[in-house]
Every structure is written in C-alpha cells, then in structure tokens.
Amino acid sequence: MANLCFHSPFLMFSLLCFQFTLCLTNFTTNDELALLAFKFSVKDPYNHLASWSNSSSICNWVGVMCDSHHERVIALNLGEMGLKGILPSKIGNLSFLLELDLHSNNLYGELPKELIQLHKLQILNLSYNEFNGEIPIWIGSLFTLQHFHLRNNSFGGVIPKSISNLSKLETLNWNGNLIEGFTPFEIGKLSSLKI
Ligand SMILES: *[C@@H]1O[C@H](CO)[C@@H](O)[C@H](O)[C@H]1NC(C)=O
Ligand SMILES: *[C@@H]1O[C@H](CO)[C@@H](O)[C@H](O)[C@H]1NC(C)=O
Ligand SMILES: *[C@@H]1O[C@H](CO)[C@@H](O)[C@H](O)[C@H]1NC(C)=O
Ligand SMILES: *[C@@H]1O[C@H](CO)[C@@H](O)[C@H](O)[C@H]1NC(C)=O
Ligand SMILES: *[C@@H]1O[C@H](CO)[C@@H](O)[C@H](O)[C@H]1NC(C)=O
Ligand SMILES: *[C@@H]1O[C@H](CO)[C@@H](O)[C@H](O)[C@H]1NC(C)=O
C-alpha cells in the first residue's frame, strides 16, 4: 500500500484530497452555524429537522440545497413543516442563498434586518405564517428578488416605496395582511412585474 502511494502520483493526490476533505468537514462553517441557529430558534413538533445535526454535511440536511461544489447553501425549502418560532438574525449569514421558502409554518415576529445581507436572493416566500411588524424599507435593497410572497401574515403599516428598487420583481403577493393605505405610485416602475 505504502509502495503504491509513493509510486502513484494519482493515489498520492487522492489521499491528499481525502485528508483535505476531512479537514473541511471538521470546519464548522458560517452556513452551518446559521442553520443551527434557525433550528434552535424554532419548535419542530414533527421532527422534520431531525437530520439537521453536525454529524452529517449540511448539504444532506432536509430542505437544504447546496451549490455544485457542496460548499454553500443556495436554497432552503422548509414549507409546510409546522415550524413555530422566530427567524434568527444569523439567517443573514447564508449569503449565497437564492431561495428562502418558509411558507405555511407558524413563524412570527419581525423580519431580521440581517436578511439585507442575502444579496443573491431571488425567491422569498413567507406566505401563510404569522410574521408581523411593517414590511421593512430595507426590502428595497434585495435587488435580485424576483418572487416576493407574504400572503396571509400579520404585516401592518404601509408598503414601502423602496419596493420600486426591485427591478427584477416578477410576482408579488401581500394579500391577507393588515397593510394600510394605497399601493405606492412608484410600483409602476417595476417593469418585470407580472402578478
Ligand atoms: C476531525 O475531527 C475528529 C473528531 O473531532 C478528529 O478525530 C480528527 O482528527 C479530525 N480530522 C482532521 C483532519 O482534523
Ligand atoms: C456536535 O455538536 C455537539 C454540541 O455542540 C458536540 O458535543 C459534538 O461533539 C459535535 N459532534 C461532531 C461530530 O462534531
Ligand atoms: C453572522 O451573523 C451574525 C449575526 O447576525 C453577525 O454578527 C456576524 O457578523 C455574521 N458573520 C458573517 C461572517 O457574516
Ligand atoms: C409560496 O407559497 C405559496 C403557498 O404554498 C404558494 O402558493 C406560492 O406559489 C409560493 N410562491 C413561490 C414563489 O414559491
Ligand atoms: C431605494 O428606493 C428608495 C425610495 O425610492 C430610495 O430612496 C433609495 O435610495 C433606494 N435604495 C437603494 C439602496 O438604492
Ligand atoms: C388567508 O387570509 C384571508 C384573509 O385574511 C382569510 O380569509 C383566509 O382564511 C386565510 N387563509 C388561511 C389558509 O389562513
């Protein structure tokens, strides 16, 4: 075996890679810390998040999708899981996230301002939860957002004008909230908006 190693550069290389992978798996990434923060901030009565433990790669966790290099989380699909609790600010550390789908749970509280760090986000689905507070002005900084669904929550206040910054927005649904006043005039600037 040792002989083979020394005489086969390819095998040497594979062994090095193998060790390198071990090093990587031991390193607790910010993505993992963010996901664990989420797990600890919600009640999970049906144990949907049972696979969310540090004994396996986050890319194998239920509802988690990673990029092709298995390095960063690009999608969280946690709809209809009966999760109850608040969204922790650490979610904002998932900076490669393209899709955050939390629809049909019992999540409540205000949206953490740290979501502003998700600057690749294309889909944000918070429909059918109990989120409250105002729709934050900073939502206008999520420039890549294409689908923004807030249906059936308890958001109040007015729709912020900054929503007109979301030039890629295609669908927007805020029915079934406590929103007051009129849809801002600026929404007319959203040329991609279909629904
Ligand atoms: C990874 O962690 C395990 C358990 O803590 C340890 O035994 C092992 O030496 C570590 N591997 C590397 C490559 O650091
Ligand atoms: C997982 O985390 C727990 C608690 O933080 C720790 O006690 C345990 O050693 C960790 N296991 C692995 C395989 O890293
Ligand atoms: C992770 O999130 C925490 C809380 O929002 C923040 O203090 C920290 O700077 C973040 N780390 C990175 C690397 O973004
Ligand atoms: C968000 O979730 C609702 C409820 O299931 C669904 O009707 C809607 O199509 C979803 N939107 C997106 C963009 O995934
Ligand atoms: C977003 O829109 C608001 C109001 O229309 C504007 O004042 C603000 O400068 C814009 N924000 C960014 C980050 O471009
Ligand atoms: C959604 O909100 C509407 C209006 O408030 C309400 O009539 C409906 O029952 C809600 N649907 C669900 C599934 O909660």
Side-chain angles (χ1 to χ4, degrees):
M1 181 65 193
N3 240 357
L4 250 181
C5 280
F6 287 113
H7 293 294
S8 156
F10 174 72
L11 205 56
M12 278 279 273
F13 180 70
S14 321
L15 274 176
L16 277 176
C17 284
F18 183 60
Q19 280 186 354
F20 184 60
T21 312
L22 268 185
C23 293
L24 276 183
T25 52
N26 273 10
F27 174 65
T28 310
T29 62
N30 277 325
D31 281 7
E32 178 167 359
L33 292 173
L35 294 175
L36 289 172
F38 178 80
K39 179 175 172 165
F40 289 122
S41 102
V42 298
K43 290 203 172 99
D44 176 21
Y46 307 105
N47 247 335
H48 284 294
L49 305 183
S51 63
W52 286 36
S53 92
N54 54 0
S55 60
S56 79
S57 157
I58 53 173
C59 303
N60 298 327
W61 295 4
V62 162
V64 176
M65 192 191 273
C66 294
D67 61 6
S68 54
H69 308 295
H70 276 231
E71 280 166 5
R72 299 298 307 264
V73 174
I74 56 168
L76 263 188
N77 293 104
L78 304 173
E80 297 174 52
M81 290 191 170
L83 304 173
K84 183 173 182 132
I86 62 161
L87 203 51
S89 56
K90 276 229 164 68
I91 283 287
N93 287 10
L94 297 172
S95 50
F96 274 57
L97 213 52
L98 303 175
E99 175 172 2
L100 179 57
D101 185 356
L102 301 171
H103 79 266
S104 311
N105 283 293
N106 299 303
L107 300 170
Y108 56 86
E110 298 192 10
L111 298 182
K113 190 169 190 292
E114 288 76 7
L115 291 184
I116 206 173
Q117 297 163 27
L118 304 179
H119 39 232
K120 290 172 184 274
L121 199 64
Q122 296 172 358
I123 301 177
L124 180 56
N125 197 348
L126 306 173
S127 291
Y128 302 100
N129 279 285
E130 290 146 30
F131 286 111
N132 54 38
E134 300 200 354
I135 298 178
I137 291 175
W138 53 253
I139 205 77
S141 306
L142 297 176
F143 298 111
T144 50
L145 211 53
Q146 294 170 6
H147 304 280
F148 182 33
H149 292 192
L150 306 172
R151 200 192 158 90
N152 281 59
N153 278 280
S154 302
F155 286 107
V158 297
I159 308 278
K161 287 187 171 68
S162 64
I163 208 130
S164 64
N165 294 353
L166 304 179
S167 59
K168 302 233 164 78
L169 205 60
E170 291 174 23
T171 68
L172 177 59
N173 191 340
W174 60 60
N175 284 332
N177 280 282
L178 309 168
I179 292 162
E180 299 155 18
F182 299 100
T183 302
F185 166 74
E186 287 80 0
I187 208 160
K189 285 199 267 175
L190 298 176
S191 54
S192 306
L193 198 61
K194 292 175 198 139
I195 304 173

